[in-house]
Amino acid sequence: MTVGIFDGIAQGFAVALDPINLLYVFAGVLIGTVIGVLPGLGPTATIALLLPLTYTIEPATAVILLAGIYYGSMYGGTITSVLLRLPGEAASVVTTFDGYQMAKQGRAGPALGIAAVGSFVGGILSVLGLMLLAPPLADLAVSFGPPEYVALTALGILLVTYLGSGSPLKSLSMAALGLLLATMGQDPITGTTRFTFGSVALFDGLDFVAVAMGLFGVGEILHSLERTEKVQAVTKKIKHIWPTRKDFKDSSGAIARGSVLGFVIGVLPGGGGVISSLASYALEKRRAKDPSRFGKGAIEGVAGPETANNASSTSAFIPLLTLGIPANVVLALIFGALLVQGITPGPQLITEEPEIFWGVIASMVVGNVMLLALNIPLVGVFVQLLRVRAGILAAFALLVTMAGVFSVSNDSFDMWVVLVFGVIGWLMKKTGFEPGPLVLAFVLGEIMERAFRQSMLLSGGSLGIFVTRPLSGGLLAVMAAVVILSLVMARRRRAAFRQVDPEDEFGREDGTGPVEGEPGLSAEPATGRNARHTSDSTDSDAASTPGER
């Protein structure tokens, strides 16, 4: 196995260092940084918009590009979090707590510098873990049968639903809708058509690209056009970006812990940048000798979460590449991009498509080096992107979306699907429903249904096959534990909410208000007196920022 790993790494760097792939790595991390800087767009919408482009290039190159956008956005989102208190993407919400305070104290440069260094360290260590853990996990996954895949896909959907930042009930309803939409078209076993309503265009089901581009692309464009607030950077000149020796000393422990924590959370289905950054911030605050420093400019409160969210974005590729299970919504889009090219991520990927498996891993090392080189000297340049008017970006993005979806199959029906799901995505944003569980369930639904039907054929129609097999039974036990734990935590949250001082309208000691995704807090929009207050604060923007869930 050791020889195989080193041979694979060598092959991966041969792929990643190919001039064409190097160009796409650079393009991916640059695009990721830019969309991270621009509040409201995020990696999910950007990858959805660029999906048609990936079908004209080699599969390994396509994944290298999309992966670069994903972890590159984690870097870019830090800039607006520190300077504007406005996260470029959801995983950077936590950075606003201390990063913005550091900027107000004239330390915006060190905040951005330590975030870039921490992200680099977290990304590199996570890639090393990916290299070591992925091959043996792929060997284990070869023994998976249909019952195991049913349990694994169900666990992935459940974790995304319960670990998301919105209401679990709303997330479950979206996941159920995604599973329903996945059944449209031909039956995978008998070949009969279902839910086509007599339309020949629906015989093959809804096109994943059209659905994703509608929900995340057009839906996000419509939602962002409603945002009329203007923001002003706390400083226009960034000085002393490279942290001092004391900054490194204060942050080294947070970076190390954030790397490990982010890696572990990223591997779990349903984990992601938001959860890992929140967990890292809570850990650093709990370990601090003086927790009162947090929220007032503690550099550990920037270093830990930024390291964790970048580490998790890298380790999230482990379940995708080895098990064929996307850990979050962004990876569901990358999963769909590979499926359309005729490549199925899973246990056989490492042997059947080693250039993709190892090439993507090696490209992450190259991409993180490029990101460190870009973010340290060019922070001031990226800040200037905030001057671009939202209307110009929206019009250009919509044009690219419609042209791109038509180019995939030259079918005008897909353009109507994009528009319909764009309106649906906009309405979901307005009403507090997250499109993430819907898309993930839509992608995994076909895998789950086929595996379930095969399991029933193997067992003669007995459901006992799922509990008598050790792996599937263990996964179902984990699902039951997740449901029970979520119910217990929800009961504790309600009990804690009743004990909140009614004079504190936000329910937090520092009075900064709840932030989407923070444990124990609701992400529902404020009303009444709270709504008037939050309209003047950028925290409300943080709560509405989309992300990879």
Side-chain angles (χ1 to χ4, degrees):
M1 177 59 68
T2 303
V3 175
I5 290 178
F6 283 110
D7 288 343
I9 293 172
Q11 182 180 6
F13 276 103
V15 173
L17 295 178
D18 178 82
I20 297 297
N21 289 334
L22 272 177
L23 178 62
Y24 276 98
V25 171
F26 179 77
V29 298
L30 180 61
I31 293 172
T33 303
V34 169
I35 62 102
V37 170
L38 297 173
L41 193 55
T44 309
T46 305
I47 289 176
L49 294 177
L50 292 178
L51 279 178
L53 173 65
T54 63
Y55 305 147
T56 62
I57 57 181
E58 292 295 320
T61 306
V63 181
I64 285 172
L65 171 67
L66 299 180
I69 294 173
Y70 181 31
Y71 57 81
S73 66
M74 300 297 171
Y75 280 75
T78 308
I79 297 175
T80 50
S81 296
V82 171
L83 299 181
L84 306 173
R85 205 181 184 186
L86 185 64
E89 44 81 37
S92 297
V93 168
V94 182
T95 310
T96 63
F97 298 166
D98 287 277
Y100 184 72
Q101 295 298 323
M102 289 183 66
K104 290 176 66 176
Q105 297 165 12
R107 304 192 67 224
L112 294 171
I114 202 67
V117 171
S119 295
F120 173 77
V121 173
I124 293 297
L125 293 179
S126 193
V127 171
L128 294 177
L130 178 57
M131 290 178 178
L132 296 175
L133 183 60
L137 186 59
D139 291 341
L140 174 64
V142 171
S143 62
F144 278 25
E148 285 74 24
Y149 271 96
V150 172
L152 196 60
T153 52
L155 177 62
I157 294 173
L158 184 69
L159 287 177
V160 168
T161 299
Y162 275 96
L163 296 179
S165 60
S167 164
L169 184 59
K170 290 182 177 180
S171 297
L172 278 174
S173 63
M174 289 297 98
L177 178 59
L179 292 175
L180 177 62
L181 294 175
T183 63
M184 297 180 68
Q186 294 184 339
D187 185 292
I189 304 297
T190 64
T192 57
T193 57
R194 307 171 300 185
F195 305 114
T196 59
F197 307 102
S199 173
V200 177
L202 289 174
F203 277 12
D204 292 328
L206 291 170
D207 184 71
F208 167 77
V209 177
V211 173
M213 293 177 74
L215 287 173
F216 293 109
V218 177
E220 191 57 47
I221 289 170
L222 295 175
H223 180 68
S224 63
L225 287 176
E226 292 184 314
R227 306 171 73 180
T228 58
E229 70 280 352
K230 294 183 180 180
V231 292
Q232 182 68 37
V234 69
T235 179
K236 293 183 179 179
K237 294 184 178 180
I238 311 298
K239 299 179 180 179
H240 309 297
I241 295 177
W242 192 253
T244 64
R245 183 176 299 179
K246 182 178 185 303
D247 291 333
F248 278 117
K249 182 180 179 181
D250 293 339
S251 305
S252 58
I255 291 174
R257 289 184 290 271
S259 299
V260 176
L261 187 63
F263 179 85
V264 172
I265 292 178
V267 172
L268 300 174
V274 178
I275 298 170
S276 60
S277 58
L278 283 167
S280 175
Y281 190 84
L283 175 63
E284 295 307 317
K285 189 173 182 179
R286 188 175 298 115
R287 286 180 54 89
K289 295 180 180 179
D290 182 14
S292 64
R293 294 172 49 247
F294 284 76
K296 299 177 182 177
I299 196 168
E300 306 97 299
V302 176
E306 285 297 320
T307 302
N309 70 43
N310 207 69
S312 69
S313 68
T314 301
S315 65
F317 279 84
I318 292 179
L320 174 68
L321 298 177
T322 59
L323 304 176
I325 303 297
N328 53 54
V329 182
V330 176
L331 292 180
L333 297 176
I334 298 177
F335 180 83
L338 285 173
L339 288 180
V340 174
Q341 294 213 18
I343 295 173
T344 303
Q348 303 299 330
L349 184 67
I350 191 171
T351 55
E352 296 178 355
E353 304 286 349
E355 70 281 356
I356 296 178
F357 184 89
W358 292 109
V360 171
I361 294 175
S363 74
M364 292 179 181
V365 177
V366 178
N368 275 279
V369 173
M370 288 182 177
L371 280 167
L372 185 64
L374 282 172
N375 278 266
I376 294 296
L378 298 179
V379 168
V381 176
F382 290 130
V383 172
Q384 301 305 314
L385 294 172
L386 295 169
R387 296 183 177 182
V388 180
R389 292 174 57 186
I392 296 175
L393 290 174
F396 178 74
L398 186 60
L399 179 64
V400 171
T401 299
M402 301 308 292
V405 75
F406 181 78
S407 67
V408 174
S409 56
N410 295 326
D411 188 354
S412 59
F413 178 79
D414 289 340
M415 300 178 73
W416 287 106
V417 173
V418 169
L419 293 176
V420 170
F421 276 91
V423 174
I424 292 174
W426 172 67
L427 292 174
M428 289 169 63
K429 283 282 186 181
K430 298 278 287 183
T431 53
F433 287 88
E434 288 295 332
L438 188 156
V439 172
L440 190 66
F442 181 74
V443 171
L444 296 180
E446 183 178 354
I447 301 174
M448 179 187 290
E449 182 187 6
R450 182 182 292 109
F452 181 81
R453 301 277 291 277
Q454 290 171 344
S455 300
M456 291 297 94
L457 291 174
L458 289 173
S459 65
S462 172
L463 294 173
I465 190 173
F466 296 109
V467 295
T468 55
R469 294 169 66 111
L471 284 175
S472 60
L475 291 171
L476 291 176
V478 172
M479 288 178 60
V482 169
V483 173
I484 295 173
L485 181 62
S486 65
L487 293 175
V488 172
M489 291 178 64
R491 185 172 181 178
R492 289 182 177 178
R493 282 198 298 268
R494 287 194 295 267
F497 181 76
R498 295 191 188 100
Q499 297 175 3
V500 172
D501 184 359
E503 295 298 323
D504 181 3
E505 61 184 25
F506 296 105
R508 279 176 51 171
E509 294 178 0
D510 58 3
T512 57
V515 177
E516 178 177 332
E518 188 167 353
L521 295 177
S522 171
E524 295 298 326
T527 57
R529 185 159 56 99
N530 291 358
R532 290 194 299 272
H533 185 97
T534 54
S535 65
D536 297 328
S537 171
T538 52
D539 284 346
S540 61
D541 297 323
S544 62
T545 304
E548 87 304 351
R549 293 186 171 91

